[in-house]
Amino acid sequence: DSQFGTYVWPSAVVLSQFVWAHRERLLGRRVLEVGAGLGLPTVLAARCGAKVVLSDSEELPQCLQNGRRSCALNRLSRVPVVGLTWGRVSPELLSLQPVDIILGSDVFFDPKDFEDILTMIYFLLERNPHAEFWTTYQVRSADWSIEALLYKWKLKSTNIPLHLFGADKEHLADSSLPGRHTIEMMIISLAQPDGT
């Protein structure tokens, strides 16, 4: 739904708080946001000195246009905005330079997309085995899990408690978000050959 890319979701505010708390790690690093929508984490990462690329589905040109507008309004008109559709190998995906950090807020929204998302993440992490996927998501169902898919794609996740970066509040950065939503944060990386 192209409407999804017209809002700043609670998870984006929490991920942005994590980006801000770890801004020293971003200076000069190559950062890609997937499913960016308006790209709040991308904008903040760029302001922290990262070399960023904003992406959303190539099938949702309105989302890509909204990302471009968001960058322009934040004086970041040179930020590349590319169409990347989860689970699809495209010339745009293949031409990306290896990235150091992948950002994704609330990309684990619909279980039918989970494997496509992790397929793309695996491809990107394999190009730079030291890269990490920083992701936040809103808990919508206790039945949804990516554990089996992480194992299948030889990925591991580390849960990051929100209190470690000051995001365990209903209001962040003068915003009423994340509100009372339950938001989780994890870092996904390649698993070692022994599965750890």
Side-chain angles (χ1 to χ4, degrees), residues 55-127:
S55 76
D56 211 313
S57 174
E58 63 190 324
E59 297 171 353
L60 301 173
Q62 185 62 40
C63 287
L64 295 170
Q65 186 58 35
N66 290 340
R68 284 185 194 93
R69 275 194 210 114
S70 183
C71 289
L73 288 170
N74 286 282
R75 296 183 196 97
L76 300 169
S77 57
R78 293 186 180 179
V79 168
V81 176
V82 298
L84 299 177
T85 301
W86 301 327
R88 181 181 299 160
V89 177
S90 65
E92 292 78 14
L93 178 65
L94 294 173
S95 67
L96 283 176
Q97 291 186 1
V99 295
D100 301 303
I101 297 169
I102 305 159
L103 303 173
S105 62
D106 228 359
V107 295
F108 295 109
F109 174 80
D110 189 341
K112 73 176 179 53
D113 296 325
F114 289 1
E115 185 156 24
D116 286 343
I117 294 163
L118 290 175
T119 301
M120 177 184 281
I121 297 304
Y122 177 79
F123 173 81
L124 293 166
L125 293 177
E126 201 173 44
R127 295 178 79 192

Side-chain angles (χ1 to χ4, degrees), residues 157-193:
S157 69
T158 303
N159 290 324
I160 309 297
L162 301 187
H163 71 86
L164 293 179
F165 57 101
D168 56 340
K169 304 171 179 85
E170 287 186 28
H171 296 77
L172 293 174
D174 293 330
S175 166
S176 60
L177 294 175
R180 295 178 182 237
H181 301 284
T182 302
I183 308 295
E184 300 286 335
M185 162 96 199
M186 67 178 138
I187 295 177
I188 295 175
S189 57
L190 290 177
Q192 302 299 318

Side-chain angles (χ1 to χ4, degrees), residues 119-147:
T119 301
M120 177 184 281
I121 297 304
Y122 177 79
F123 173 81
L124 293 166
L125 293 177
E126 201 173 44
R127 295 178 79 192
N128 179 1
H130 302 290
E132 296 177 329
F133 177 35
W134 298 356
T135 185
T136 52
Y137 61 95
Q138 184 175 328
V139 177
R140 292 181 172 86
S141 173
D143 296 335
W144 295 358
S145 175
I146 62 169
E147 292 304 315

